Amino acid sequence: MCQNCVNNVFPDRGHTCLENGSYLMNFASCAQCNKKEMINIRNKEEREEEEEQVITYEHVCQNCDHVIAEHEYRFCVDDGYQEYQMTCLLCGSGEDSISILPDDPRKEMELF
């Protein structure tokens, strides 16, 4: 991972969790070739770890193949909620939790 390629290291993305793609707004330029070309995805892997889906890949410079960042996305269903997590030097850190029920019990509790 290359901190010199990004504007902000691990920016807070709130509830945004990307399972593919790149956060181009945070890409400064490639520290190796000094160009701001498109970013390629390389070595994408999808696997299961203890009932959790894990997707990992590398963001690489289109021009020189320099590794800009390693991206990790996780998804699972836990106690009736879909749980999402993303960690990436380029794309940032984010997490979200969404009820699988039509009405989210957490939101109903907030009404009272």
Side-chain angles (χ1 to χ4, degrees), residues 15-86:
H15 296 289
T16 301
C17 298
L18 306 173
E19 63 184 275
N20 58 40
S22 303
Y23 182 41
L24 299 176
M25 295 294 292
N26 193 35
F27 180 49
S29 67
C30 177
Q32 185 168 307
C33 69
N34 294 316
K35 294 194 176 182
K36 191 170 183 175
E37 303 284 334
M38 289 301 296
I39 297 173
N40 289 336
I41 303 296
R42 184 173 67 190
N43 297 329
K44 186 170 184 176
E45 285 185 19
E46 293 186 34
R47 64 184 184 280
E48 294 283 328
E49 289 182 3
E50 300 176 17
E51 299 184 29
E52 185 174 52
Q53 177 190 23
V54 180
I55 299 173
T56 58
Y57 56 87
E58 295 175 327
H59 297 284
V60 295
C61 175
Q62 177 180 312
N63 188 56
C64 69
D65 281 339
H66 174 69
V67 177
I68 298 162
E70 296 174 358
H71 189 103
E72 181 178 272
Y73 166 86
R74 293 179 172 268
F75 168 79
C76 70
V77 176
D78 186 32
D79 290 332
Y81 291 91
Q82 295 176 333
E83 304 285 343
Y84 302 88
Q85 292 180 329
M86 173 185 72

Side-chain angles (χ1 to χ4, degrees), residues 90-109:
L90 173 68
C91 298
S93 299
E95 58 183 44
D96 201 3
S97 179
I98 301 170
S99 175
I100 61 174
L101 300 173
D103 295 316
D104 189 337
R106 293 178 297 193
K107 290 183 181 175
E108 290 178 6
M109 297 286 283

